[in-house]
Amino acid sequence: MQDLLPQRIVCLTEETTEWLYLLGQEQRIVGISGYTVRPRRAREEKPKVSAFLSAKIDKILALQPDCVFGFSDLQAEIASLLIKAGVQVTVFNQRSVDEIFSMLYQVAAMVGEAEQGLVRLQGMRAELEAIEHKAASFKRRPKVFFEEWDEPHISGIRWVSELMGIAGGDDVFPELAVQSLGKDRIIADGQNIVDRAPDIIIGSWCGKKFRPEKVAARPGWQDVPAVRTGQIFEIKSADILQPGPAALTDGVAQMHRIFSQWEALHA
């Protein structure tokens, strides 16, 4: 039966790499994304064959993968080139918390670890429910602006918004969170953010270091509650913008700690 499962997997994004390592199936991975930092040792053990929007197709083909995992419509061109070269490609397009859980279960099943995967996912669900239960006791929930990019301003994607709610905060741009593409979550006029008066600002600029002092110095932002009280934080993109185990564990836990500290001061 094991011979029927993928033996040589290339992961074009980090979440499937991290998940396969958690499942003890890292020996199946033959290539990873250059952005991979979870787990750290993957960078030392596996060839880096892709960025996010580009990939070294020749290098991937030389690895002779029998399965490639990708993420989102943004990798459609990479997927197309590999498919035309005869490679099996599975591209997931998860945007919500439930879709992340579904993706993780499917990957576990594809490598023969459905039972272990289900147990681990049930544990993650239980942790989320525990966090949500603690947050339910908040006497006051903070209004939160999650900034995924700064120029232009891009607000948080759906799973971030959902995890924010579980952690005890209220997304100030919930209507944008349902938009799957970053271009549809652009806030062209920063005054719209000021007007929504977030109590907390969380930045996670995908691909570059978040600069809270730069946020605080934006013209007209001095009266934003989050700026006035110094409630500006970073959550690393690898912990929250990776739609896999990291966001469901470390990312949501970091948000809950930030919100809990705020609530203790403002209840």
Side-chain angles (χ1 to χ4, degrees):
M1 182 66 179
Q2 284 294 318
D3 293 342
L4 301 178
L5 303 175
Q7 304 297 320
R8 300 182 62 80
I9 299 173
V10 168
C11 300
L12 298 177
T13 52
E14 185 178 30
E15 64 274 1
T16 45
T17 296
E18 181 178 12
W19 183 229
L20 289 172
Y21 267 84
L22 287 171
L23 293 171
Q25 297 299 306
E26 66 270 21
Q27 77 281 358
R28 297 182 188 275
I29 302 173
V30 295
I32 63 172
S33 163
Y35 288 122
T36 301
V37 296
R38 295 175 61 109
R40 179 68 59 178
R41 67 186 179 96
R43 294 186 62 83
E44 302 165 2
E45 297 174 348
K46 306 296 181 181
K48 293 177 278 293
V49 298
S50 68
F52 184 58
L53 299 179
S54 62
K56 300 172 182 175
I57 301 298
D58 290 346
K59 193 170 182 179
I60 292 174
L61 296 177
L63 292 170
Q64 298 182 306
D66 51 18
C67 183
V68 172
F69 290 139
F71 166 64
S72 89
D73 45 289
L74 294 175
Q75 293 192 326
E77 185 175 346
I78 301 171
S80 176
L81 291 172
L82 292 171
I83 291 168
K84 289 175 181 176
V87 179
Q88 175 184 312
V89 180
T90 299
V91 177
F92 298 99
N93 217 3
Q94 69 273 22
R95 289 300 198 279
S96 68
V97 169
D98 282 344
E99 288 170 357
I100 293 174
F101 274 106
S102 175
M103 177 277 294
L104 294 173
Y105 181 73
Q106 290 177 62
V107 170
M110 289 175 73
V111 296
E113 293 293 337
E115 186 173 343
Q116 181 196 170
L118 187 59
V119 170
R120 287 182 176 273
L121 295 177
Q122 287 171 338
M124 290 180 192
R125 281 279 193 194
E127 287 295 319
L128 289 181
E129 289 171 1
I131 289 173
E132 191 169 31
H133 179 73
K134 291 175 185 176
S137 67
F138 285 4
K139 292 182 174 61
R140 185 178 169 195
R141 292 169 65 93
K143 295 187 296 179
V144 185
F145 172 53
F146 185 97
E147 187 169 270
E148 191 174 306
W149 194 248
D150 60 331
E151 296 176 348
H153 307 294
I154 298 179
S155 62
I157 199 166
R158 182 176 172 184
W159 72 79
V160 172
S161 182
E162 291 179 351
L163 291 173
M164 185 190 300
I166 289 170
D170 293 328
D171 187 356
V172 295
F173 286 100
E175 75 279 12
L176 296 183
V178 298
Q179 301 296 327
S180 64
L181 302 180
K183 67 181 181 66
D184 295 325
R185 299 195 308 280
I186 290 175
I187 304 164
D189 186 353
Q191 185 61 41
N192 290 332
I193 303 169
V194 173
D195 291 343
R196 301 207 182 187
D199 299 302
I200 294 171
I201 295 171
I202 295 176
S204 189
W205 297 344
C206 191
K208 68 178 181 180
K209 181 175 174 56
F210 178 66
R211 300 271 303 282
E213 73 281 1
K214 186 176 178 183
V215 173
R218 289 171 179 166
W221 285 49
Q222 64 276 3
D223 291 326
V224 173
V227 174
R228 194 171 62 244
T229 59
Q231 294 291 301
I232 307 175
F233 305 92
E234 178 182 23
I235 296 179
K236 299 291 186 184
S237 57
D239 294 340
I240 192 63
L241 293 181
Q242 177 236 96
L248 300 179
T249 55
D250 291 350
V252 68
Q254 290 176 57
M255 282 199 289
H256 182 61
R257 283 195 295 271
I258 292 168
F259 301 163
S260 295
Q261 291 166 3
W262 182 91
E263 196 272 341
L265 292 171
H266 296 86

